[in-house]
Amino acid sequence: MKIDVNGTAHDVTATTVAEALAELGWAEARVATALNGDFLPKGARATTPLAEGDRLEILAPMQGG
Amino acid sequence: MRSFYGVTLSSPLMLGTAQYPSPAVLQEAFRASGASVATVSLRREGGQGQAFWDIIRALGVHILPNTAGCHSAREAITTAQMARELFETNWIKLEVIGHADTLQPDPFGLLEATEALAADGFEVFPYTTEDQVLAARLLEAGAQVLMPWGAPIGSGLGLNNRYGLRTLRAAFPDVPMVIDAGLGLPSHAAEALELGFDAVLLNTAVAQAGDPAAMARAFGLAAQAGALARAADPMAPRDMAQPSTPVIGKAWL
């Protein structure tokens, strides 16, 4: 299915957020996720299904002031 | 120094982690400054995030994530929730930006986000102005720390409104306050501490200096000097001269 990951269209076979992270190579990474604009806690990724057109944000620690 | 949500800091300097020429210079600047807090952010993972996390942890300082770039309460709240999980801290430097040129906080969004986050267990450091009415509302909403700006972010202008900042400091004597943003020189940091603020937070003035580590050290020393001066109870200024050398005993020549 087609979803939007960090502003870029992706075609994934994953059906949950956790599977999508693994498919994109971020399974072990220290990241935080938001689905369609709402925070999605790490513990909920495996049980949160993906739907066509979902917007997934994957954020990482970055420099800041 | 007043404590920040129960944490007493070893230095009144908080330092940002952005805009350094290299990670090595960032680390050098932190070591030279003695800063007790590092501010960080969250951005879309492009492969750099994991190495940065290791660098930050190795600094051995408190981590203060920000919500920089957020223009609505909703955006800031979601970012704060993500930051709490990612950085494993309840501390959040709450920025809700209201104007693109001045990067002035949006007081309405800031208040809304402060209320929601404080109710959700966050320890909020709201980036605000010297506005005393807004300060009172932020405290009512659950903030226990205030971060008034010195001047617009990245401007290096120093303390733009000394009168307003002094008034704010006097109005809430028990509230820990950090001057955040706008500092350009170590003398600005010393002045903030002399006015009774508990700490300063800066980034650009160090990261964009020709020698970031040397400037970081200068800021660290200046902030300490200001804190020492404040604790030493400075003399009151006066308009007229008063001789410091004794007049009595002067020779009749």
Side-chain angles (χ1 to χ4, degrees):
Chain A
M1 88 182 93
K2 286 192 174 59
I3 61 167
D4 179 296
V5 180
N6 286 351
T8 307
H10 281 262
D11 211 341
V12 295
T13 56
T15 57
T16 66
V17 172
E19 286 171 14
L21 281 177
E23 196 175 327
L24 295 162
W26 303 118
E28 305 300 319
R30 190 177 191 88
V31 291
T33 49
L35 188 62
N36 298 320
D38 290 322
F39 169 54
L40 184 72
K42 192 174 181 180
R45 289 175 197 159
T47 53
T48 302
L50 282 171
E52 185 81 21
D54 272 353
R55 284 187 304 112
L56 179 62
E57 291 283 343
I58 305 172
L59 304 190
M62 212 57 70
Q63 292 83 353
Chain B
M1 191 196 303
R2 298 161 188 86
S3 70
F4 298 91
Y5 294 102
V7 175
T8 303
L9 300 177
S10 59
S11 157
L13 183 65
M14 303 182 178
L15 198 54
T17 56
Q19 300 181 323
Y20 292 85
S22 71
V25 174
L26 183 159
Q27 288 165 304
E28 205 187 332
F30 266 84
R31 271 197 299 273
S33 71
S36 55
V37 173
T39 53
V40 294
S41 74
L42 300 88
R43 288 292 179 263
R44 285 172 167 173
E45 174 59 294
Q48 319 290 315
Q50 311 308 308
F52 178 68
W53 170 244
D54 291 338
I55 290 169
I56 290 306
R57 283 187 48 180
L59 295 175
V61 298
H62 296 279
I63 294 177
L64 177 58
N66 70 28
T67 63
C70 290
H71 286 256
S72 70
R74 185 181 185 277
E75 212 182 350
I77 291 165
T78 303
T79 303
Q81 290 167 331
M82 296 174 89
R84 177 160 67 179
E85 184 183 89
L86 200 54
F87 295 108
E88 298 169 5
T89 176
N90 287 325
W91 282 15
I92 190 74
K93 177 186 157 182
L94 184 60
E95 292 184 37
V96 182
I97 299 301
H99 193 280
D101 292 335
T102 62
L103 298 182
Q104 188 166 354
D106 167 1
F108 309 99
L110 182 66
L111 185 60
E112 185 188 338
T114 296
E115 195 161 20
L117 291 171
D120 191 20
F122 282 89
E123 294 173 329
V124 183
F125 292 63
Y127 164 63
T128 184
T129 64
E130 63 274 30
D131 188 316
Q132 215 184 110
V133 179
L134 176 58
R137 297 290 300 271
L138 290 169
L139 296 169
E140 280 168 25
Q144 293 175 31
V145 170
L146 294 174
M147 293 188 119
W149 64 352
I153 296 171
S155 68
L157 292 172
L159 307 183
N160 246 355
N161 181 355
R162 285 168 186 76
Y163 170 77
L165 289 169
R166 201 160 46 224
T167 308
L168 180 70
R169 179 64 285 179
F172 306 98
D174 300 326
V175 176
M177 291 191 204
V178 186
I179 295 288
D180 173 20
L183 304 189
L185 288 168
S187 54
H188 300 153
E191 192 179 6
L193 272 293
E194 286 163 4
L195 283 175
F197 290 93
D198 301 280
V200 288
L201 197 174
L202 53 115
N203 190 153
T204 310
V206 164
Q208 298 288 294
D211 184 342
M215 189 59 87
R217 180 158 184 264
F219 265 101
L221 291 170
Q224 278 178 44
L228 277 172
R230 175 70 180 189
D233 188 15
M235 65 166 281
R238 47 186 293 146
D239 290 336
M240 302 301 286
Q242 187 183 36
S244 48
T245 302
V247 177
I248 295 169
K250 185 188 175 299
W252 193 292
L253 303 171

